[in-house]
Amino acid sequence: MSGSSDRVSAHGAHGAPGTRFRPDQMGRATPPPSDASDRPVVVFGLLQAGLSFARSLGRAGVEVHGVTLHDTDFGIASRYLRSRHVFPEGLADRDALVVRTMRRLAAGRRLVLIPERDDHVGFVLDHWDEIAEFADVPLPADPDATMSLRRKERLVEVAERAEVAAPHTVFADCEETIAGAALHPPFILKPAEGQGYALTFGEKAVVADSVDSACATWRRAHDAGFEMLVQELIPDSHEHVYSLLVYIARDGQPLAAVVGRKVRQGPLRFGSSAFFEIDYDPRVIESGMRLLESAGYTGFAHVEFAYDRRDDTYKLLEVNTRPPVWIGIAVNRWFDIARVAYDDLCGRPGGACRVLRDRLSWVYLAKDAYVSYQLARRGELDWQALAAQYLRRHKVSAVFAADDLRPVLASIAYLRSRV
């Protein structure tokens, strides 16, 4: 394994909104050529998405370093990292050590910092002024623009301003609010922000069949320190979740976009993708871009919608201000959204927005096998569709790469921690 390692033990030592996006401005999915830069990159978090970044930029000759907050981030084993730095939970002065390490890796140059997951974005926001001294990040120059999308009760306000349809949502500050929400069960409860709830309870959201069960879920979350929302449940929404992934340049212009659909997810119904496929719909792009423009957002955004067959609309579910786990579907020789972002953050001009429409799918094989097993036990697995999906020629693996096998082996420990 190339590069240096720095594992710290717990026991020791930006831009303005741009013009309205129009689908007729789309170009072919071919990234502009560019040479390797002397701007170093820190990939902050190294699961599926972070690993895709490390491989893409490392193969291009960019100096890439890995920083993680979790021992099980298997991408830290990638051969494309020049150095590796692990700061596990429980480490004294961990935040200060992380910032100090990033500053040292910058070595007097402007660093490009890619936060992978919600807790990494939260870390960057918590240390915004310090990090801004030495790094460029794929987030808006105004942190409040990011918070307006991360906080789901604020997201509702942004959606209303942008005239983007969304399920009826109420911020559940107490049980009385839930009882008076004027929602007819079943409805859904979800955390107001971040992935902490899912890590604590093993589920991203809970479907309540009554006000009493909703209040019980709220009490459990409240006792654990989580703020919750109660939201209208769109019928069969888990089968029709569509996503927009977009990178918006610092001048507000979208440079690369992908629209697709969750085919299978885990945990079932309300989880992250196990199998994802490109499924282009211009309404998803138009609504998502209108929302992001209204918020003054730049950088990576992952906007999720649920298709509502009752009125033939896509309704907003959430916005992730970071790459999705399946970003690897948009990292290849012909369309490399990681390189597009790097070039923009290095100050290179972009071209017209390119939208990936190729018939591609992304699979996290180990997770999809487990999810498919669960669906089969429930009698909900379409075996014929499953076979067709796996026989399809163009698939992108979440972890496997013939030129970088160590993360595959390292992922075993991660899988054990998640089951």
Side-chain angles (χ1 to χ4, degrees), residues 42-338:
V42 164
V43 180
F44 188 22
L46 280 146
L47 292 181
Q48 297 92 338
L51 179 58
S52 294
F53 275 96
R55 285 171 170 168
S56 168
L57 299 176
R59 287 167 181 152
V62 176
E63 178 187 334
V64 184
H65 304 273
V67 175
T68 79
L69 303 178
H70 308 282
D71 290 322
T72 52
D73 279 15
F74 48 79
I76 200 71
S78 174
R79 63 180 290 227
Y80 290 106
L81 296 175
R82 302 282 183 93
S83 68
R84 300 159 182 85
H85 311 269
V86 181
F87 299 91
E89 190 173 0
L91 180 68
D93 299 322
R94 181 169 72 160
D95 285 15
L97 285 170
V98 171
V99 173
R100 193 180 310 139
T101 298
M102 291 179 179
R103 190 186 294 274
R104 176 170 57 82
L105 292 171
R109 301 163 290 176
R110 290 293 295 175
L111 191 72
V112 171
L113 175 61
I114 307 294
E116 184 194 37
R117 304 193 293 281
D118 286 338
D119 57 340
H120 304 116
V121 173
F123 184 99
V124 171
L125 294 174
D126 289 342
H127 302 277
W128 184 261
D129 291 339
E130 292 175 272
I131 289 174
E133 293 175 0
F134 59 85
D136 292 303
V137 188
L139 292 168
D142 180 3
D144 190 66
T146 303
M147 291 305 301
S148 71
L149 301 178
R150 278 172 62 90
R151 293 286 306 185
K152 292 182 176 63
E153 77 277 15
R154 293 187 62 186
L155 177 60
V156 172
E157 299 171 0
V158 177
E160 289 177 353
R161 186 168 65 245
E163 298 181 349
V164 172
H168 181 46
T169 306
V170 175
F171 181 67
D173 56 350
C174 63
E175 295 182 43
E176 288 73 18
T177 300
I178 297 174
L183 290 170
H184 299 289
F187 39 76
I188 187 170
L189 284 89
K190 59 174 65 173
E193 181 185 356
Q195 296 173 301
Y197 181 88
L199 293 174
T200 300
F201 295 110
E203 54 194 2
K204 292 180 65 176
V206 177
V207 175
D209 294 322
S210 66
V211 171
D212 288 343
S213 64
C215 289
T217 298
W218 179 86
R219 284 193 299 271
R220 182 182 67 158
H222 179 73
D223 291 344
F226 294 102
E227 297 176 299
M228 301 293 284
L229 302 173
V230 58
Q231 187 176 78
E232 169 194 7
L233 180 63
I234 297 173
D236 302 319
S237 59
H238 62 286
E239 296 180 355
H240 304 283
V241 176
Y242 287 76
S243 294
L244 165 66
L245 163 63
V246 63
Y247 180 79
I248 304 174
R250 290 182 293 179
D251 65 3
Q253 299 297 325
L255 296 181
V258 180
V259 174
R261 180 178 70 90
K262 280 183 183 178
V263 177
R264 284 179 293 280
Q265 57 190 302
L268 299 180
R269 295 174 64 87
F270 304 106
S272 59
S273 292
F275 196 104
F276 183 91
E277 65 182 11
I278 292 176
D279 191 352
Y280 175 75
D281 191 309
R283 292 182 294 173
V284 173
I285 287 190
E286 201 280 330
S287 294
M289 287 306 308
R290 192 167 69 245
L291 177 85
L292 297 171
E293 184 181 30
S294 178
Y297 188 81
T298 60
F300 281 108
H302 170 215
V303 189
E304 281 198 334
F305 295 88
Y307 177 71
D308 191 340
R309 54 183 167 75
R310 297 172 299 182
D311 56 4
D312 187 33
T313 61
Y314 288 98
K315 290 189 169 67
L316 177 67
L317 295 180
E318 66 179 7
V319 177
N320 297 309
T321 56
R322 40 84 180 168
V325 294
W326 49 265
I327 195 173
I329 205 171
V331 178
N332 54 59
R333 288 179 294 169
W334 306 277
F335 187 103
D336 191 342
I337 199 170

